[in-house]
Amino acid sequence: MPKKKSVSKETPVFDMSDHSSDSEEELVGDLFGTEEETAPEPEPTFEVYARNPLYIKDDDTPKELKIRLVGSHPLWAHHLWNASKVFASMFDEHPSLCRDKTVLELGAGGALPSLVASLYATKVVVTDYPDDELIDNIRYNISSNLGDRSNIVADGYVWGTATDKLREHLPPNHTTYDVIILSDLVFNHSQHHALLRTCRELLTPKTGRVYVFYTHHRPHLAHKDLEFFEIAQRPVLENVDPDDRELLGYGLKADHFVKKKMHVMFEEDPGDEEVRATVHGWQLWLP
């Protein structure tokens, strides 16, 4: 993971420019490990997401969502990513994408997309790595923005592991999710297979959709980000060694359907600003 830096109000605790290697191991390191502290832990921050009033049909729903972000975290949960804002806007503009559906978010961070989805969905399960700080923060965002709404729950989950616990959150007579949210996760190159394994196991065939939104924060590694979709579309082969990643595939179909210009999140990072400010959206499905 990226190295810690001195903390100030102006400078992010982590800098995307710290990722300068094409090596997955060096890029991601021990994704679920800990780092030696070099600075005091900063306080949580808040960011307000104002919903577009054109899409607010119910006076009882919140007109804005105040998202608390952990002060810093090696899994990058201390940022409200551009992709999450595009997700939230899309769900409000097109509520049929999640209306009366079961929704799962992986690597949720501040959980903005899930909060908006819960205004329309039957059930929303918000997950992140099972770290108390992360999960407690998600639960805070749920309760502070939605009160005692019963159709949304937060839980810890490690990508690629057994999915039984996630199935237990589903309503009766449901075994899969209609919508799976991946918001700015594909930069974790070493975790592509783990993410796709979980998505394939939990996605409703034919009608279900995995929505994958991201930005190429490191333009020189854009080809590594896009490998996620190449792997997703590889055919499923029988009797393949799980360690043989060159052959593993997940049999998903893919469509790139969103491209939206936002702002650059890390001003001092290298690379084309147009690339670093653009959010891309894909949908994946099981034929």
Side-chain angles (χ1 to χ4, degrees), residues 211-227:
Y211 294 114
V212 188
F213 284 21
Y214 64 91
T215 296
H216 295 303
H217 298 287
R218 299 152 300 171
H220 70 290
L221 292 176
H223 66 289
K224 301 291 288 185
D225 298 340
L226 291 173
E227 283 180 2

Side-chain angles (χ1 to χ4, degrees), residues 246-260:
E246 294 301 316
L247 294 177
L248 279 179
Y250 299 88
L252 294 158
K253 298 294 185 180
D255 174 46
H256 181 200
F257 74 109
V258 168
K259 186 176 180 181
K260 183 175 179 61

Side-chain angles (χ1 to χ4, degrees), residues 3-236:
K3 57 183 179 291
K4 277 203 169 182
K5 295 187 174 183
S6 59
V7 178
S8 72
K9 292 183 179 179
E10 293 76 26
T11 303
V13 181
F14 297 98
D15 186 343
M16 291 296 279
S17 65
D18 292 329
H19 292 307
S20 58
S21 171
D22 288 355
S23 164
E24 287 189 359
E25 289 75 16
E26 187 173 342
L27 173 66
V28 180
D30 180 1
L31 180 61
F32 308 121
T34 58
E35 296 180 334
E36 181 181 352
E37 294 295 328
T38 58
E41 282 296 317
E43 292 297 314
T45 60
F46 290 84
E47 187 163 339
V48 174
Y49 173 79
R51 299 172 64 208
N52 189 325
L54 293 176
Y55 308 128
I56 301 175
K57 307 299 184 183
D58 186 345
D59 290 339
D60 293 332
T61 62
K63 294 178 174 57
E64 64 180 27
L65 297 166
K66 188 174 183 180
I67 306 299
R68 188 176 75 175
L69 303 164
V70 295
S72 71
H73 201 277
L75 301 186
W76 294 77
H78 54 295
H79 293 296
L80 188 63
W81 298 89
N82 285 339
S84 72
K85 299 174 185 178
V86 177
F87 255 125
S89 177
M90 181 182 75
F91 287 152
D92 262 340
E93 185 175 357
H94 304 286
S96 61
L97 295 176
C98 51
R99 190 186 302 279
D100 302 327
K101 296 181 179 180
T102 54
V103 178
L104 170 69
E105 183 170 6
L106 301 177
L112 173 60
S114 286
L115 296 181
V116 176
S118 74
L119 302 176
Y120 309 104
T122 298
K123 184 73 175 188
V124 177
V125 179
V126 197
T127 72
D128 211 319
Y129 183 72
D131 171 83
D132 288 345
E133 182 182 16
L134 290 180
I135 305 307
D136 288 347
N137 191 68
I138 291 172
R139 289 173 177 154
Y140 172 88
N141 284 333
I142 292 172
S143 62
S144 64
N145 287 285
L146 303 175
D148 58 357
R149 184 179 289 269
S150 61
N151 70 330
I152 181 169
V153 62
D155 206 346
Y157 176 70
V158 176
W159 307 333
T161 61
T163 57
D164 296 4
K165 181 172 65 170
L166 299 182
R167 295 181 195 274
E168 291 174 0
H169 289 298
L170 286 163
N173 303 319
H174 288 69
T175 58
T176 56
Y177 286 86
D178 302 313
V179 174
I180 300 178
I181 298 169
L182 306 184
S183 181
D184 239 328
L185 302 183
V186 299
F187 75 88
N188 289 311
H189 301 149
S190 70
Q191 301 302 308
H192 285 177
H193 284 279
L195 285 165
L196 286 165
R197 191 177 307 123
T198 294
C199 289
R200 181 175 172 82
E201 287 187 21
L202 291 176
L203 183 65
T204 302
K206 296 184 180 179
T207 59
R209 291 293 184 271
V210 181
Y211 294 114
V212 188
F213 284 21
Y214 64 91
T215 296
H216 295 303
H217 298 287
R218 299 152 300 171
H220 70 290
L221 292 176
H223 66 289
K224 301 291 288 185
D225 298 340
L226 291 173
E227 283 180 2
F228 179 87
F229 304 101
E230 296 173 13
I231 297 168
Q233 295 178 84
R234 287 182 197 158
V236 178

